[in-house]
């Protein structure tokens, strides 16, 4: 598993070079790596299907007891197969889709970087490691959604996704920390339990359980676009179609679903009335209905699919909360197939016919037969058409049966399932049937033609796998769904994914309700004009007070609040900045005194202070006072130089000759620079009134006195043994343990040995800054070397492209 992640990480770095040298075969070359990794994961199905797990551990931070642990069980296997195998298909597809793009190498680097992050997320067993990969998916998805950064909708969609999922991620981080320590309390581990496989059950009895549930779900629900956080997903459709097909049908949006399923055995109470289950059912059912309804008002291909994905994510969350792991796992797998296929088809229609509005196009089957057939199969599967031998029908039957077995919530949940199912049938017709077999309102913008084989391979394979899923479930669906169901349930489990005589000959309530939902969906399709008119008032309301509008209001308020704060705190006055800093420090000091109820004890041992020290102290104090009263800039600089040289002498007296030499050199240089700068400046002028100067004096005197007292208090208390003795011992070769820095200059040793990592970090920062400066200078030189006429021509072309 670690090797798989390392291979993908290196492939992400090497992707630009692969794209440069592989040419048209770039997609095939890049897809081969995740395909091979996916084959390796598929070979582990027998080992995991019986409830087993494969674990790899690396000592990460042994001093803190943290290990880099990766664990492949049934749930991780399901998502690892989706990440790698569908990822391979998307890479192959993108090789042709992005052909000719001037940033194709960057695109593949981002896409494979996301793949690495997502695979690490579903394999990580350590909570800290999981959160790191979680945030990496947010960062890489931001780069992918905003890939076409010259377009406003791409930038705003990327920012919106990052803000919503990022804030949820911060809340989730707090929840995971509380979860780890709460588990440690129950397990008797003082440092907390950080591996998810070691979390105990029964966490619902802990005092912090409500906080754990609220914070963890905040991250999961925002990531998986649950209502009312769903609005970022349709906005993310500004991304290229390969990104939408991969991130928003099979991987990223299911990260929240994955974590909910992973923690379900530990946070579930066992009853639908429990906090965890109740929230999952409530959010999931609401999202299922709202997402499907909003999709019925869309006509753009990808936005239709985006809202239907929101609905499907709600279904997954709801099924987990209802305690039906088989239905949840079956639907997760089926959804990846039909929705991934349809997203890829949407990209083909846009790429080869130049069309995005499904209401305007039709009759494309003759020009694009393979694409049309794949879309039709995926659409039928998504609709869950009764008696159709496809994955969607099997998953839909399980979902309806779960609703009929919901106890007190049976009537409500079944009604919502049927309503959402009806809307989904309409969506399936609009996306899988209408563009290829429906009536066209006009001719396509481009001459429609079939896509090349690299773009056709993935959607056709996904459509065919939907048939295999239903007709031969034992081939891969049953063992994968069973293993995932065991991980979600937290115990033995066997999934029944049979498409046999039961579905064809037994008249059941579930089958009848499925037929009813199909008929209603067909009716909405033929009466879609009336449906749009009837639902217009709700659309207007959503445009005024909907979640997306609330996000806009929040961002506007944040912007205006930032401007107001900046006008107060960053008004351009250095005096105001200094005053606010001093007041803030004094305020913290006052708050600390109020909390403790006492002043710090100040040590006043001046017995060892000699004559020279007193001379230096008096010189510094007198010079500071004189500097505030002088009217000449040169005289003030000279007096300040006295203070600097006096401090250098203090360094020399107390065993810091190197610091003293540095201080002497710096002070001399500063005095020279000041003299050169202020020589021609006028004398000081008084710009403030007497009252302001008196307040400044009181503030400065108070702050100076407080800081002096704090220094004396800190010097009079010894909380820990000084480390200077250790430095002295470890610096020389004669140390008892045989370890040594082999040096006599303690300052140098501290920089290059004891604090070597910190020094290395500073060098890296300086190096990066130097590269940035060099790049800016190089760009300036290149720009200056281009004739003005050419630059103006480029700007004109850029403006035409934006228009």
């Amino acid at each position: 598993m670690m090797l798989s992640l390392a291979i993908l990480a290196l492939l992400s770095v090497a992707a630009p070079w692969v794209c440069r040298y592989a040419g048209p075969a770039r997609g095939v070359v890049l897809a081969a790596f995740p395909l091979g990794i996916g084959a390796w994961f598929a070979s582990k199905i027998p080992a995991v299907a019986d409830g087993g797990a494969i674990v790899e551990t690396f000592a990460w931070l042994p001093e803190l007891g943290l290990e880099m642990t990766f664990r492949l069980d049934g749930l991780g296997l399901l998502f690892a197969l989706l990440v790698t195998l569908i990822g391979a298909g998307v890479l192959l597809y993108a090789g042709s889709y992005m052909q000719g793009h001037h940033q194709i190498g960057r695109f593949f680097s981002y896409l494979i970087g996301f793949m690495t992050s997502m695979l690490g997320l579903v394999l990580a067993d350590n909570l800290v490691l999981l959160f790191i990969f979680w945030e990496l998916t947010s960062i890489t998805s931001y780069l992918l959604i905003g890939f076409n950064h010259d377009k406003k909708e791409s930038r705003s969609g990327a920012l919106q996704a990052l803000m919503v999922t990022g804030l949820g991620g911060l809340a989730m981080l707090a929840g995971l920390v509380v979860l780890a320590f709460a588990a440690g309390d129950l397990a008797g581990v003082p440092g907390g339990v950080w591996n998810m496989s070691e979390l105990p059950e029964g966490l619902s009895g802990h005092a912090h359980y409500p906080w754990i549930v609220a914070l963890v779900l905040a991250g999961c629900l925002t990531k998986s676009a649950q209502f009312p956080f769903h609005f970022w997903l349709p906005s993310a459709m500004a991304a290229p179609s390969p990104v939408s097909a991969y991130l928003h049908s099979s991987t990223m949006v299911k990260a929240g679903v994955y974590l909910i399923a992973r923690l379900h055995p530990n946070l579930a109470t066992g009853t639908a009335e429990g906090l965890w289950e109740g929230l999952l059912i409530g959010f999931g059912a609401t999202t299922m209905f709202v997402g499907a309804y909003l999709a019925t008002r869309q006509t753009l291909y990808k936005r239709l699919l985006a809202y239907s994905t929101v609905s499907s994510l709600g279904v997954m969350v709801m099924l987990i909360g209802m305690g039906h792991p088989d239905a949840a796992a079956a639907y997760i797998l089926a959804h990846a197939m039909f929705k991934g296929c349809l997203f890829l088809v949407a990209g083909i229609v846009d790429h080869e016919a130049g069309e995005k509005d499904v209401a305007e196009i039709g009759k494309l089957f003759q020009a694009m037969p393979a694409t049309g057939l794949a879309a039709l199969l995926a659409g039928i599967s998504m609709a869950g058409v009764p008696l159709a031998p496809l994955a969607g029908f099997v998953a839909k039957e399980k979902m309806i049966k779960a609703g009929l077995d919901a106890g007190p919530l049976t009537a409500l949940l079944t009604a919502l399932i049927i309503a959402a199912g009806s809307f989904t049938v309409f969506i399936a017709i609009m996306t899988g049937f209408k563009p290829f077999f429906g009536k066209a309102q006009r001719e396509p913008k481009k001459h429609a033609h079939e896509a090349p084989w690299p773009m056709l391979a993935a959607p056709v394979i996904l459509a065919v796998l939907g048939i295999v899923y239903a007709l031969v479930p034992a081939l891969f669906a049953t063992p994968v769904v069973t293993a995932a169901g065991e991980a979600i349930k937290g115990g033995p489990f066997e999934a029944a994914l049979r498409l046999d005589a039961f579905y064809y000959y037994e008249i059941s309530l579930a089958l009848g309700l499925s037929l009813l939902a199909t008929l209603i969906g067909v009716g909405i399709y033929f009466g879609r004009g009336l449906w749009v008119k009837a639902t217009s008032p709700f659309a207007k309301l959503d445009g005024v007070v909907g979640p997306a509008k609330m996000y806009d209001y929040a961002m506007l308020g944040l912007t205006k609040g930032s401007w107001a704060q900046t006008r107060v705190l960053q008004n351009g006055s250095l005096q105001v900045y200094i005053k606010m800093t001093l007041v803030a420090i004094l305020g913290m000091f006052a708050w600390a005194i109020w909390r403790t109820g006492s002043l710090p004890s100040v040590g006043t041992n001046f017995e060892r202070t000699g004559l020279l020290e007193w001379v230096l102290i008096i010189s510094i104090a007198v010079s500071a006072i004189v500097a505030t009263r002088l009217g000449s800039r040169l005289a003030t600089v000279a007096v300040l130089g006295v203070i600097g040289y006096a401090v250098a002498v203090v360094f020399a007296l107390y065993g810091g000759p190197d610091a003293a030499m540095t201080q002497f050199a710096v002070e001399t240089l500063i005095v020279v620079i000041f003299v050169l700068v202020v020589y021609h400046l006028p004398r000081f002028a008084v710009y403030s009134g007497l009252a302001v100067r008196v307040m400044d004096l009181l503030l400065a005197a108070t702050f100076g006195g407080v800081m002096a007292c704090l220094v004396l208090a800190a010097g009079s208390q010894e909380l820990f043994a000084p480390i200077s003795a250790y430095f002295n011992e470890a610096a020389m070769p004669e140390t008892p343990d045989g370890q040594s820095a082999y040096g006599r200059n303690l300052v140098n040793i501290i920089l290059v040995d004891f604090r070597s990592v910190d020094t290395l970090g500073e060098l890296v920062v300086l190096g990066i800054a130097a590269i940035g400066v060099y790049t800016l200078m190089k760009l300036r030189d290149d720009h200056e070397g281009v004739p003005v006429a050419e630059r103006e021509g480029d700007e004109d072309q850029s403006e035409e492209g934006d228009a």
Side-chain angles (χ1 to χ4, degrees):
M1 290 182 281
M2 294 185 191
L3 180 60
S4 300
L5 292 171
I7 291 173
L8 290 178
L10 292 175
L11 185 64
S12 175
V13 176
W17 287 276
V18 174
C19 292
R20 177 181 301 176
Y21 296 110
R26 63 180 69 88
V28 178
V29 175
L30 293 173
F33 290 91
L35 181 63
I37 294 172
W40 182 83
F41 281 116
S43 69
K44 302 302 177 183
I45 293 178
V48 175
D50 296 330
I54 301 172
V55 180
E56 293 181 7
T57 302
F58 175 77
W60 185 14
L61 294 174
E63 295 82 1
L64 300 179
L66 294 180
E67 296 178 334
M68 189 179 293
T69 305
F70 296 93
R71 187 171 184 269
L72 182 68
D73 63 355
L75 184 62
L77 177 64
L78 169 61
F79 280 89
L81 291 174
L82 296 181
V83 170
T84 54
L85 297 181
I86 293 183
V90 170
L91 289 177
L92 180 63
Y93 176 95
S96 291
Y97 185 90
M98 301 296 294
Q99 178 72 35
H101 197 287
H102 66 288
Q103 292 287 357
I104 188 172
R106 178 164 61 93
F107 174 82
F108 277 107
S109 182
Y110 292 165
L111 189 61
I112 300 172
F114 171 83
M115 184 186 301
T116 308
S117 305
M118 190 66 199
L119 184 61
L121 189 155
V122 301
L123 295 178
D125 189 38
N126 182 272
L127 290 172
V128 177
L129 190 61
L130 177 137
F131 178 76
I132 292 174
F133 283 117
W134 183 282
E135 291 302 294
L136 286 175
T137 61
S138 296
I139 295 171
T140 50
S141 66
Y142 169 79
L143 297 173
L144 288 167
I145 297 170
F147 179 73
N148 296 319
H149 52 81
D150 55 332
K151 299 179 180 179
K152 181 180 179 180
E153 60 270 21
S154 296
R155 298 193 302 270
S156 61
L159 179 61
Q160 192 177 81
L162 183 65
M163 289 292 291
V164 175
T165 60
L167 291 176
L170 291 177
M172 190 191 75
L173 173 61
L176 294 179
V177 172
V178 177
L179 170 65
F181 283 103
D185 292 342
L186 296 180
V189 180
V193 177
W194 295 95
N195 287 340
M196 289 184 287
S197 59
E198 300 173 2
L199 292 175
E201 296 183 2
L203 284 169
S204 57
H206 196 276
H208 298 320
Y209 175 73
W211 285 107
I212 296 172
V213 171
L215 294 171
V216 169
L217 284 185
C220 296
L221 298 181
T222 52
K223 194 81 162 184
S224 288
Q226 299 295 293
F227 181 87
F229 312 109
H230 64 284
F231 54 88
W232 71 263
L233 182 54
S235 300
M237 293 302 106
S241 291
V243 176
S244 302
Y246 191 46
L247 274 66
H248 306 137
S249 71
S250 309
T251 51
M252 176 188 169
V253 291
K254 290 179 180 174
V257 176
Y258 164 79
L259 188 56
I260 289 173
R262 174 64 71 196
L263 297 178
H264 183 71
N266 309 105
L267 298 178
T269 60
T271 62
E273 294 78 13
L275 178 62
W276 174 262
E277 290 90 337
L279 289 175
L280 293 183
I281 294 173
F283 277 104
T286 304
T287 304
M288 171 188 66
F289 176 79
V290 172
Y293 159 72
L294 293 175
T296 61
R297 296 192 51 80
Q298 309 299 318
T299 59
L300 294 181
Y301 214 141
K302 287 171 63 177
R303 286 185 71 86
L304 257 169
L305 295 173
Y307 277 108
S308 70
T309 298
V310 170
S311 178
S312 298
L313 294 169
V315 170
M316 300 171 198
V317 172
M318 180 188 69
L319 291 175
I320 295 173
M322 294 169 66
H324 290 275
D326 57 336
Y331 194 84
I332 289 171
L333 182 58
H335 176 266
M337 295 177 185
F338 62 70
K339 192 60 64 67
C341 175
L342 287 173
F343 266 115
L344 295 173
V345 167
I348 292 176
V349 172
D350 181 22
H351 195 270
E352 309 301 337
E355 292 292 345
K356 298 180 180 180
D357 194 332
V358 294
E360 299 292 329
I361 56 176
K363 303 295 184 182
L364 293 178
F365 182 77
Q366 185 175 0
M368 310 168 72
T371 304
L373 183 60
L376 182 63
L377 290 174
I380 295 174
S381 182
M382 181 171 71
V385 175
L387 311 181
L390 290 165
F393 171 56
V394 179
K396 183 179 178 181
E397 288 289 298
K398 287 190 168 293
M399 177 177 64
I400 295 177
K401 290 179 180 178
L404 294 173
D405 188 31
L409 299 175
T410 295
L412 176 61
L413 292 181
T414 302
L416 290 175
I417 289 172
I418 298 306
S422 302
F423 298 150
T424 302
V425 171
F426 167 79
I427 300 165
I429 297 174
M430 291 292 290
T431 56
F433 176 83
K434 171 69 170 60
F436 302 95
F437 306 97
K439 182 180 178 181
Q441 302 298 320
R442 55 176 170 79
E443 291 296 321
K445 295 179 181 179
K446 294 169 59 176
H447 176 66
H449 57 278
E450 192 61 271
W453 75 266
M455 292 180 66
L456 278 176
V460 170
I461 291 174
L462 288 173
V464 173
L465 285 178
I467 301 175
V468 177
Y469 177 110
L471 295 180
V472 196
L475 187 62
F476 71 92
T478 297
V480 172
V481 171
T482 299
E486 289 181 350
I488 299 173
K489 184 180 179 181
F493 171 81
E494 182 177 357
L497 301 177
R498 302 186 309 274
L499 187 66
D500 51 22
F502 171 80
Y503 293 105
Y504 288 101
Y505 302 116
E506 182 175 330
I507 304 300
S508 64
L509 180 58
L511 181 60
L513 293 175
S514 181
L515 285 169
L516 176 63
T518 302
L519 293 175
I520 295 174
V522 173
I524 295 175
Y525 171 74
F526 286 107
R528 57 185 180 276
L530 295 174
W531 173 261
V532 171
K533 291 181 180 179
T535 56
S536 293
F538 300 102
K540 294 179 181 178
L541 182 65
D542 180 63
V544 176
V545 295
K549 204 65 179 178
M550 292 298 103
Y551 169 84
D552 293 337
Y553 291 149
M555 294 301 294
L556 180 62
L558 179 63
T559 303
K560 289 185 176 180
S562 300
W563 275 108
Q565 178 188 9
T566 302
R567 283 194 296 270
V568 175
L569 301 179
Q570 299 289 330
N571 58 2
S573 173
L574 183 59
Q575 290 180 336
V576 173
Y577 299 163
I578 295 175
K579 290 177 183 178
M580 287 187 174
T581 302
L582 300 184
V583 169
I585 295 174
L586 290 176
M588 290 187 289
F589 179 70
W591 178 79
I593 294 175
W594 177 76
R595 285 292 305 271
T596 58
S598 62
L599 292 170
S601 61
V602 178
T604 57
N605 183 13
F606 297 113
E607 297 177 357
R608 299 177 57 186
T609 305
L611 177 61
L612 180 58
E613 286 88 342
W614 280 113
V615 171
L616 293 173
I617 293 172
I618 295 173
S619 299
I620 293 173
V622 171
S623 298
I625 295 173
V626 171
T628 63
R629 303 300 301 165
L630 293 174
S632 169
R633 298 178 189 272
L634 288 178
T636 303
V637 170
V639 172
L640 292 176
V642 172
I643 297 176
Y645 289 124
V647 172
V649 174
V650 172
F651 289 157
L653 286 177
Y654 287 91
D658 50 352
M661 293 173 62
T662 304
Q663 177 71 12
F664 276 123
V666 171
E667 196 63 40
T668 302
L669 182 62
I670 290 176
V671 170
V672 172
I673 293 175
F674 273 153
V675 169
L676 294 176
V677 170
V678 306
Y679 180 74
H680 297 287
L681 294 179
R683 294 175 61 86
F684 285 126
V686 178
Y687 295 101
S688 57
L690 179 61
V692 174
R693 294 200 299 275
V694 170
M695 293 298 297
D696 291 345
L697 174 62
L698 293 175
L699 178 60
T702 303
F703 182 80
V706 167
M707 294 306 298
C709 292
L710 288 177
V711 171
L712 292 174
S716 63
Q717 299 180 16
E718 186 174 301
L719 301 178
F720 304 98
I723 61 174
S724 55
Y726 168 76
F727 285 155
N728 286 322
E729 294 176 359
M732 299 302 296
E734 295 81 8
T735 53
D737 57 1
Q739 299 180 357
S740 171
Y742 293 97
R744 296 182 179 275
N745 189 318
L746 288 181
V747 175
N748 290 345
I749 292 172
I750 291 172
L751 290 176
V752 302
D753 194 305
F754 297 120
R755 292 180 54 211
S756 58
V757 176
D758 181 67
T759 305
L760 177 62
E762 294 174 356
L763 292 175
V764 170
V765 171
L766 290 175
I768 294 174
I771 294 173
V773 171
Y774 173 78
T775 303
L776 292 175
M777 296 175 63
K778 184 68 175 176
L779 289 174
R780 184 194 64 181
D781 295 340
D782 293 343
H783 191 267
E784 291 176 351
V786 177
V788 176
E790 294 185 14
R791 293 203 300 269
E792 292 177 351
D794 292 341
E795 292 174 359
D796 293 340
Q797 292 178 7
S798 176
E799 292 177 359
E800 292 176 1
D802 292 340

